[in-house]
């Protein structure tokens, strides 16, 4: 049997991605524990098990690493939500519920990363706008798409502001999930999701709802 050996460039690319992932995970852990300002490049490299120069080679410095980390985190979240979208024949309200559940599970699994992403939305430096915009277009966009489908099929109010409702639902997912992990970790994800789904139904309403 012939087994093709990966091309050198592909192997190098795979190693680099693995290194970047280790650096991201190390940075998430350290920054969530002690804050961005108190976390050094030396500490990130040590936690990731690489040389300090590796950080500079891959990112240029701590600020660039952090900006790339934010982009990576939002992409992971958005991909998770997108992958949760069922087949087109699935009833849209149920499809939306599956997307919201995926968000709860993601935040429960990657709590430190989620907290960093949410904290970034309140920062006032240059990276703030880029992160918020990426959350809006990628992560919240998945929710908004489901709401648009519901409006198109007459399954909710025709005047529903889907962009605003999408942001509201995303905020609910984040708040409920972090509250769950921080204050009520003994509750099951299904219990949390059921409550969230009921809240979502109340927000988006039905075709005949006057509000």
């Amino acid at each position: 049997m012939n087994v093709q050996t990966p091309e050198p460039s592909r192997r190098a690319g795979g190693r680099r991605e693995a290194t970047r992932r280790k650096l991201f995970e190390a940075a998430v852990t350290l920054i969530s524990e002690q804050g961005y300002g108190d976390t050094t490049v030396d500490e990130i490299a040590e936690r990731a098990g690489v040389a300090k120069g590796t950080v500079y080679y891959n990112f240029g410095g701590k600020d660039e690493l952090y900006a790339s980390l934010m982009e990576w985190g939002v992409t992971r979240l958005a991909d998770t939500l997108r992958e949760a979208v069922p087949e087109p024949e699935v009833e849209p309200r149920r499809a939306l519920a599956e997307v919201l559940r995926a968000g709860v599970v993601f935040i429960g699994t990657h709590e430190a990363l989620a907290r960093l992403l949410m904290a970034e939305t309140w920062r006032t430096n240059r990276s703030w706008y880029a992160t918020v915009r990426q959350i809006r277009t990628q992560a919240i966009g998945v929710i908004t798409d489901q709401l648009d489908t519901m409006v198109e099929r007459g399954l909710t109010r025709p005047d529903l502001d889907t962009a605003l409702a999408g942001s509201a639902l995303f905020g609910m997912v984040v708040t409920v999930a972090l509250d769950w992990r921080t204050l009520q970790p003994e509750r099951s994800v299904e219990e949390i999701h059921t409550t969230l789904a009921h809240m979502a139904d109340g927000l988006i309403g039905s075709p005949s709802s006057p509000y």
Side-chain angles (χ1 to χ4, degrees), residues 66-105:
Y66 188 72
S68 295
L69 167 60
M70 291 296 99
E71 181 179 355
W72 175 75
V74 176
T75 299
R76 289 189 69 187
L77 172 57
D79 286 346
T80 297
L81 298 181
R82 199 172 295 111
E83 290 165 4
V85 177
E87 296 299 320
E89 59 268 18
V90 174
E91 196 275 322
R93 196 172 291 260
R94 179 184 160 195
L96 175 62
E98 289 300 313
V99 171
L100 299 182
R101 184 185 187 282
V104 171
V105 171

Side-chain angles (χ1 to χ4, degrees), residues 198-210:
H198 288 320
M199 294 167 63
D201 280 341
L203 174 67
I204 62 181
S206 63
S208 59
S209 174

Side-chain angles (χ1 to χ4, degrees), residues 16-38:
R16 186 181 184 196
E17 285 306 308
T19 298
R20 288 167 64 90
R21 184 185 180 101
K22 286 196 296 184
L23 289 169
F24 286 148
E25 292 173 348
V28 166
T29 301
L30 288 167
I31 295 172
S32 65
E33 289 175 353
Q34 57 195 34
Y36 178 79
D38 291 329

Side-chain angles (χ1 to χ4, degrees), residues 33-151:
E33 289 175 353
Q34 57 195 34
Y36 178 79
D38 291 329
T39 299
T40 66
V41 169
D42 290 46
E43 291 173 319
I44 294 172
E46 181 179 0
R47 179 67 66 96
V50 302
K52 178 180 177 179
T54 302
V55 178
Y56 293 104
Y57 173 77
N58 281 274
F59 301 103
K62 189 174 76 168
D63 288 347
E64 292 81 1
L65 167 69
Y66 188 72
S68 295
L69 167 60
M70 291 296 99
E71 181 179 355
W72 175 75
V74 176
T75 299
R76 289 189 69 187
L77 172 57
D79 286 346
T80 297
L81 298 181
R82 199 172 295 111
E83 290 165 4
V85 177
E87 296 299 320
E89 59 268 18
V90 174
E91 196 275 322
R93 196 172 291 260
R94 179 184 160 195
L96 175 62
E98 289 300 313
V99 171
L100 299 182
R101 184 185 187 282
V104 171
V105 171
F106 180 91
I107 293 171
T109 305
H110 306 285
E111 184 179 344
L113 174 59
R115 290 185 184 280
L116 283 186
L117 290 175
M118 293 309 101
E120 179 67 10
T121 63
W122 297 103
R123 280 159 56 91
T124 57
N125 67 357
R126 291 183 305 172
S127 65
W128 174 84
Y129 182 77
T131 301
V132 173
R133 184 171 181 81
Q134 188 185 5
I135 290 173
R136 152 60 64 189
T137 58
Q138 294 187 23
I140 298 177
V142 179
I143 299 174
T144 301
D145 286 346
Q146 302 310 305
L147 295 174
D148 287 337
T149 298
M150 293 177 67
V151 171

